[in-house]
Amino acid sequence: MALDRRRFVLTGASGLVGASLGLGRPYLSRAADRPALSHGLQSGDVGSDTAMVWARADRPCRAMIEWSTTESFAQVRGGVFADALPETDGTVKVALEGLPAGQDIFYRVSLEDLAAPTIRSPRQVGCFRTAPADRRSVSFCWSGDTAGQGWGIDESRGGMTIYAAIAKNRPDFFLHSGDTIYADGPIQAEVKLPDGTLWRNRVTEEVSKPAESLAEFRGRYKYNLLDKNLLALNAQVPMLAQWDDHEVTNNWWPGEPLTRAEHLRKKYADPNVLALQVRAARAFHEYMPMRFDPAEPGRVYRKISYGPLVDVFMLDMRSYRGANGENRQTEYGPDSFFLGPQQLAWLKRELVSSRATWKVIAADMPLGLVVVYDSDRNFGSEAVAQGDGPALGRELEVADLLRFIKAAGVRNTVWLTADVHYTAAHFYDPNKAQFQDFEPFWEFVSGPLHAGTFGPNALDNTFGPQLRYVKAPPAGQVNVSPAAGLQFFGHVAVDGRTEQMTVTLKDAADTDLWHVTLTPARG
């Protein structure tokens, strides 16, 4: 075994264990008594020598994790334990470090009863591929928006089948671009479709109303993990997760009073969104296989390096923004924050220091699409865009970033996003923009994964986005159910030899709708 040459770091109470501590010892199995892994396995935030793995137990117990470079586990390369306790709703997250680059890694998890350690659960096995150290080809998928607008798991229709379509592409990782759950919308047992048939949701108590308690927020993640397609994807493809608004409530901003008509309809007991945000953030970090940053425990923005060809910059466009007002400030300040100064400075530093060929900026909201904040009053900006014309409000922050990218000579940035519930390709052309001090770039929109389909939204000419492709519902149709097939994801392939990036927009049937191949600019 190579345990002495490998390091494992555990998030939470932990310790190093090896065969001498019993990882490989026989165990008893009494089905009525043994603990069980309740919601599959997940991996995430994978790099060349590190990755997160996640599991959840159905009762307090000790989770034993082993990993190997072979599916047979003929040679166990190391092991670690983590305690699954009620304080984290039975979830455990382990950061594995010292992994070999560009390698398929197999990990298996079993649970040990606290009162009778010889009683263990059966092992479950997951796998992922670490990032390469050389310039080999890389591929990944992205999308957002899961179980929204009341469209839950209809098992008679196969459940969330788009996750199976993503798995067919065998991506190195999957980027979930936010709205990983819809905490604010109830899921009813039945919904009548326009053709007269019924959509029959699987339901649980926690999804019967907008989430307010910590248990209800946790229940939303557990609900999604009832879907066989998502469970299968999680077991074999690492997830890079970010959040947007529906992990808390629709279109929220920090400090927002819960007084909008929408809030009143949802009958929130708390007067301010902060209480919801605190509980929602805890559940999000418990259930997503992402790293814990002790410098800022609730932090979502981070960089994931996936070899020499791809760096992914995961943004948080929610936690540091100013109020969702008219968004027409003429000077940059707290009211026009979107990423916020600290995150913006981090992004600039990381972009400049990146040596990857492609800098993928994972944004949970598009830059050039107009999104209304309060639909009851048709008021305010939810995203960046505030309408045609010069840069105002949050656009000042984006203008500053785009100007910096050009001045610093940062090349080959591509923006990937979701949020608006349709798919599109936008080419940002400074020659057709109101603000012109930037290099041209692409933004690709994809989603929803499993939610109502809407759109398309109006394009704002401030940064000159040119529509190169769009697929959305026919005019006048909104909240189109997943049964219509208008669910979308994107696939990105970077060729190891040419370093060209091909972006393909796909639907839930894995049909190629549109693609473009981008040649990297050389420094």
Side-chain angles (χ1 to χ4, degrees):
M1 291 184 62
L3 184 59
D4 59 336
R5 297 194 302 271
R6 305 291 179 187
R7 292 188 304 121
F8 286 74
V9 180
L10 177 67
T11 302
S14 66
L16 288 171
V17 295
S20 63
L21 293 185
L23 264 179
R25 70 178 182 264
Y27 62 90
L28 300 177
S29 175
R30 296 203 297 264
D33 302 328
R34 63 189 181 187
L37 289 159
S38 61
H39 291 82
L41 303 177
Q42 298 184 73
S43 64
D45 284 15
V46 61
S48 60
D49 64 352
T50 183
M52 298 295 297
V53 296
W54 176 99
R56 181 182 183 274
D58 68 344
R59 69 196 71 182
C61 59
R62 175 155 288 182
M64 317 297 287
I65 302 101
E66 299 170 303
W67 70 273
S68 176
T69 54
T70 60
E71 191 172 4
S72 68
F73 285 83
Q75 183 183 24
V76 176
R77 303 290 294 271
V80 66
F81 68 77
D83 294 329
L85 299 172
E87 288 78 5
T88 59
D89 201 30
T91 63
V92 293
K93 290 199 293 187
V94 177
L96 307 181
E97 295 191 344
L99 305 174
Q103 177 70 55
D104 288 337
I105 303 295
F106 300 88
Y107 64 98
R108 61 188 182 189
V109 181
S110 62
L111 305 176
E112 188 175 84
D113 188 272
L114 295 181
T118 56
I119 298 177
R120 287 200 188 172
S121 70
R123 297 185 178 101
Q124 287 189 25
V125 177
C127 64
F128 57 86
R129 184 180 302 117
T130 51
D134 57 356
R135 293 184 179 273
R136 70 179 64 179
S137 298
V138 171
S139 73
F140 63 94
C141 297
W142 94 94
S143 187
D145 316 303
T146 301
Q149 288 73 50
W151 305 112
I153 302 167
D154 185 339
E155 293 175 336
S156 68
R157 299 174 187 268
M160 301 183 188
T161 58
I162 194 169
Y163 282 113
I166 292 169
K168 283 174 55 180
N169 287 266
R170 299 181 61 82
D172 292 308
F173 59 87
F174 171 62
L175 167 60
H176 200 305
S177 302
D179 292 340
T180 54
I181 60 167
Y182 273 70
D184 55 331
I187 296 177
Q188 300 174 347
E190 293 183 348
V191 181
K192 190 172 183 178
L193 300 180
D195 64 1
T197 63
L198 290 177
W199 181 279
R200 292 183 170 89
N201 286 312
R202 185 172 182 173
V203 293
T204 65
E205 182 179 354
E206 291 90 349
V207 303
S208 64
K209 62 179 287 292
E212 296 181 86
S213 69
L214 179 57
E216 288 168 343
F217 282 109
R218 287 167 167 169
R220 291 289 175 155
Y221 293 95
K222 286 184 278 195
Y223 178 82
N224 289 357
L225 292 172
L226 296 175
D227 180 70
K228 62 183 180 181
N229 306 289
L230 179 55
L231 287 175
L233 180 71
N234 286 345
Q236 59 187 301
V237 177
M239 180 187 292
L240 313 186
Q242 59 191 148
W243 76 344
D244 190 29
D245 56 334
H246 289 286
E247 285 83 0
V248 183
T249 191
N250 186 42
N251 294 354
W252 70 273
W253 48 270
E256 180 184 21
L258 295 173
T259 54
R260 278 190 282 135
E262 180 176 355
H263 300 144
L264 300 179
R265 288 194 295 271
K266 293 175 179 177
K267 300 179 180 180
Y268 287 122
D270 289 295
N272 190 283
V273 79
L274 181 59
L276 297 181
Q277 180 187 349
V278 167
R279 300 172 198 132
R282 174 163 180 171
F284 174 78
H285 284 275
E286 287 173 345
Y287 276 85
M288 290 292 108
M290 58 188 292
R291 286 188 173 274
F292 168 81
D293 188 339
E296 187 180 354
R299 181 166 145 177
V300 174
Y301 70 86
R302 61 208 188 276
K303 183 181 83 171
I304 309 294
S305 294
Y306 203 83
L309 296 179
V310 176
D311 278 348
V312 183
F313 302 85
M314 307 283 291
L315 302 186
D316 180 355
M317 292 176 156
R318 188 59 53 180
S319 304
Y320 311 99
R321 63 167 62 193
N324 288 341
E326 292 183 300
N327 194 26
R328 299 188 61 82
Q329 296 84 6
T330 57
E331 294 184 1
Y332 184 60
D335 290 340
S336 55
F337 288 173
F338 199 58
L339 299 177
Q342 181 174 326
Q343 184 178 187
L344 183 63
W346 165 85
L347 180 58
K348 290 177 178 179
R349 289 195 306 269
E350 294 295 339
L351 286 169
V352 168
S353 64
S354 172
R355 295 296 174 262
T357 304
W358 292 99
K359 290 83 174 170
V360 174
I361 301 177
D364 43 291
M365 302 198 75
L367 297 180
L369 292 175
V370 177
V371 183
V372 174
Y373 160 55
D374 186 342
S375 58
D376 288 288
R377 296 186 293 150
N378 194 28
F379 168 79
S381 290
E382 157 67 357
V384 174
Q386 47 76 38
D388 289 347
L392 295 171
R394 294 164 176 170
E395 294 171 338
L396 298 171
E397 190 178 79
V398 174
D400 175 67
L401 174 61
L402 297 180
R403 182 190 297 114
F404 172 85
I405 289 172
K406 176 182 177 181
V410 176
R411 301 178 184 274
N412 308 319
T413 60
V414 173
W415 293 68
L416 302 182
T417 186
D419 182 67
V420 289
H421 295 234
Y422 65 94
T423 191
H426 304 144
F427 179 69
Y428 285 77
D429 185 349
N431 295 316
K432 299 180 179 180
Q434 297 290 314
F435 174 84
Q436 298 184 322
D437 192 9
F438 66 95
E439 296 290 346
F441 65 95
W442 284 86
E443 174 187 70
F444 301 99
V445 184
S446 203
L449 282 160
H450 190 83
T453 314
F454 295 83
N457 292 45
L459 280 166
D460 177 334
N461 72 1
T462 303
F463 302 112
Q466 304 300 299
L467 182 64
R468 295 297 173 85
Y469 178 80
V470 63
K471 188 164 186 179
Q477 294 189 22
V478 297
N479 193 19
V480 178
S481 84
L486 295 176
Q487 309 286 293
F488 306 106
F489 69 99
H491 179 270
V492 178
V494 182
D495 185 271
R497 183 180 61 84
T498 66
E499 301 183 54
Q500 289 179 318
M501 173 184 283
T502 299
V503 180
T504 305
L505 302 180
K506 293 170 169 273
D507 64 16
D510 199 31
T511 305
D512 292 355
L513 303 174
W514 181 90
H515 76 273
V516 64
T517 297
L518 310 178
T519 299
R522 305 299 179 181

